[in-house]
Amino acid sequence: MVEMRKPIPVAEAVRLVMEHAAPLGTEMIGIEDAYGRVLAEPIIAKHDVPPFDRSPYDGFAIRSLDSEGASGDNRVPFSVIGEIGAGYVGDKPIGEKEAYRIMTGAQIPENADAVVMLEQTVETDDGFTLRKPFEAGENISYKGEDAKEGELLIEAGSLIHPGTIALLATFGYAEVKVAKRPIAGILSTGTELLDVADELLPGKIRNSNGPMIRAQLKRMGIDYKSYGMAADDLDACTSIVEKAIAETDLLITTGGVSVGDYDYLPAIYERLGAKVLFNKVAMRPGSVTTVAVLGNKYLFGLSGNPSACFTGFELFTRPAILAMMGGAAPYMPRMTAKLGEDFTKPNPFTRFIRATWIFTKDGIEAAPAGFNKSNAVSSIARGNCLIVLPSGTRGFVQGDEVDILLVGSEQGVSEWTL
């Protein structure tokens, strides 16, 4: 008897998945290994930045009062008493109508309160002249204007990107506390599957889901163990799943979650005593996406159809992994765009269309990236976003405003809003 499954809304499925995200603890790592990790502690400024008043330009450090009255008809002369390069300091205060030649980043000398850019001067035998007055503080980068000692700079839960690395280095964080990353297991099921290097045979297809999931994990910096391909055999599949669960923090399977005679994942979940969070989602593609938990471990049962598999990973698996790492912004960023093609047929399920977004003279436009059935592969390769078409009784036409989710974005958002 075929099991009748009741689909749940996508937002409800996301909520159920995220409710079970269990942090894996923390560890200290060197700054050279910190990219892509999630901060487990806030970053606090250990000192002021800049740590002293400095010059933002190459030019001359002067006393502003000495430039009063300067104009095109009354050029004011200054004599240069020395030079200050970055990393050096002036050896004496400047006096009336005196100046230091100063380089970008160098400390402002005593008594100086303005910097004249090089191109604003006319050179003389012993210095330069000015044609305009300068105000106190002009062209000076003041101590602490970027960050004050003790200031909260980055919240815990933030993803470490190259800019974060620069900040860590600036404040002397040679090591930083980060959340531990999970290890994922990958298992592709289906008697029809061949290895990538195999020649095609009648009734067979090459396994594209396994390599694709590995790449999606690599994009997140997540280590994985591959359990290869399993034929449609209940006992053999159960043994592999048991082994994978024991060795990893989450298991991603592809295929075997539908209601066919050879779709064994539901039976395996039952054998293991796993709690099924849902086994059907009101979405296309990927309606048969199934997620279960066993203890504190996830079992992601993704569709065997490539586009559905890809979409299920991005919607459910990716944010769950980021939440396990303590990430505060685990969801794909969303923005609006003009629909570039008609979708006139109503659909009772929310559709996620593999698409490409571009800037046009009329704003952002998103159009399907190619063939868009759930078994499509080509559109995954071409797309850089997912067009979201809500369920309902009407279709959509070119020019309609729609939501799009940005695939592969380094920075996410904190809330699911669709």
Side-chain angles (χ1 to χ4, degrees):
M1 185 176 185
V2 176
E3 177 188 3
M4 297 301 294
R5 299 181 178 183
K6 182 179 180 180
I8 65 172
V10 176
E12 175 69 4
V14 171
R15 183 188 67 79
L16 290 171
V17 169
M18 299 303 276
E19 278 183 352
H20 289 81
L24 300 176
T26 64
E27 59 185 342
M28 295 295 294
I29 63 171
I31 186 175
E32 65 277 3
D33 298 317
Y35 171 72
R37 303 297 293 269
V38 174
L39 287 170
E41 62 180 354
I43 301 303
I44 307 296
K46 296 181 179 180
H47 52 74
D48 289 346
V49 171
F52 47 79
D53 295 347
R54 64 185 181 184
S55 175
Y57 305 110
D58 290 345
F60 298 95
I62 65 169
R63 302 191 314 172
S64 60
L65 63 88
D66 293 330
S67 68
E68 291 179 0
S71 68
D73 297 326
N74 182 39
R75 299 196 71 94
V76 175
F78 286 81
S79 60
V80 176
I81 62 171
E83 183 176 288
I84 308 173
Y88 295 90
V89 295
D91 55 8
K92 63 179 180 179
I94 60 173
E96 183 178 355
K97 299 290 176 59
E98 291 181 337
Y100 270 104
R101 176 79 167 94
I102 195 166
M103 308 304 171
T104 301
Q107 183 170 326
I108 301 296
E110 189 176 349
N111 290 348
D113 64 357
V115 171
V116 179
M117 289 187 286
L118 194 61
E119 56 267 31
Q120 295 174 308
T121 66
V122 173
E123 187 178 359
T124 63
D125 290 341
D126 65 346
F128 60 91
T129 62
L130 293 182
R131 61 176 295 173
K132 68 173 285 291
F134 282 75
E135 297 180 358
E138 192 167 345
N139 295 334
I140 288 183
S141 179
Y142 280 107
K143 176 182 178 181
E145 69 177 11
D146 190 358
K148 295 286 189 184
E149 182 178 356
E151 180 182 343
L152 172 62
L153 301 171
I154 308 276
E155 300 274 3
S158 300
L159 183 74
I160 298 175
H161 55 72
T164 321
I165 297 294
L167 197 69
L168 293 170
T170 296
F171 290 99
Y173 284 88
E175 291 190 327
V176 62
K177 183 185 288 187
V178 299
K180 290 183 178 179
R181 289 187 294 199
I183 297 175
I186 309 170
L187 172 64
S188 300
T189 70
T191 303
E192 76 278 13
L193 297 179
L194 296 172
D195 188 67
V196 175
D198 291 341
E199 292 293 327
L200 284 179
L201 297 173
K204 302 287 186 176
I205 59 173
R206 294 189 182 94
N207 174 24
S208 62
N209 287 334
M212 179 179 68
I213 294 293
R214 291 197 291 270
Q216 287 173 289
L217 290 168
K218 284 181 179 179
R219 180 157 65 183
M220 299 179 66
I222 300 299
D223 291 331
Y224 59 83
K225 292 186 177 182
S226 180
Y227 294 89
M229 299 177 292
D232 295 318
D233 180 282
L234 180 57
D235 291 334
C237 280
T238 301
S239 295
I240 297 173
V241 169
E242 286 179 322
K243 175 179 171 62
I245 290 173
E247 296 177 344
T248 63
D249 298 298
L250 66 139
L251 175 62
I252 305 166
T253 57
T254 66
V257 288
S258 193
V259 291
D261 293 341
Y262 299 102
D263 292 311
Y264 290 135
L265 263 301
I268 292 173
Y269 297 152
E270 185 175 356
R271 279 190 176 189
L272 297 177
K275 176 185 177 182
V276 176
L277 303 182
F278 54 84
N279 59 16
K280 191 163 187 177
V281 186
M283 60 184 274
R284 293 279 192 265
S287 63
V288 299
T289 301
T290 301
V291 180
V293 290
L294 185 60
N296 63 350
K297 298 189 177 185
Y298 282 108
L299 296 156
F300 289 98
L302 305 183
S303 171
N305 287 321
S307 285
C309 179
F310 176 88
T311 303
F313 180 96
E314 295 298 326
L315 292 181
F316 306 116
T317 309
R318 183 178 183 274
I321 290 173
L322 289 171
M324 293 171 74
M325 295 166 59
Y331 304 110
M332 284 182 283
R334 175 180 67 89
M335 63 183 185
T336 58
K338 298 294 184 183
L339 186 61
E341 184 177 306
D342 290 347
F343 283 84
T344 56
K345 183 179 179 181
N347 198 303
F349 286 0
T350 299
R351 283 173 287 181
F352 295 88
I353 311 297
R354 279 83 59 211
T356 301
W357 70 270
I358 59 172
F359 283 108
T360 73
K361 62 181 179 62
D362 298 318
I364 297 172
E365 180 182 279
F371 182 59
N372 253 291
K373 289 190 176 180
S374 64
N375 61 344
V377 176
S378 58
S379 59
I380 309 174
R382 300 188 188 107
N384 60 13
C385 69
L386 297 172
I387 296 173
V388 184
L389 300 182
S391 60
T393 58
R394 74 174 185 91
F396 298 84
V397 297
Q398 184 176 356
D400 282 350
E401 187 172 89
V402 294
D403 290 310
I404 63 173
L405 297 173
L406 306 184
V407 175
S409 176
E410 185 177 63
Q411 296 294 301
V413 295
S414 59
E415 295 183 2
W416 178 265
T417 57
L418 294 174

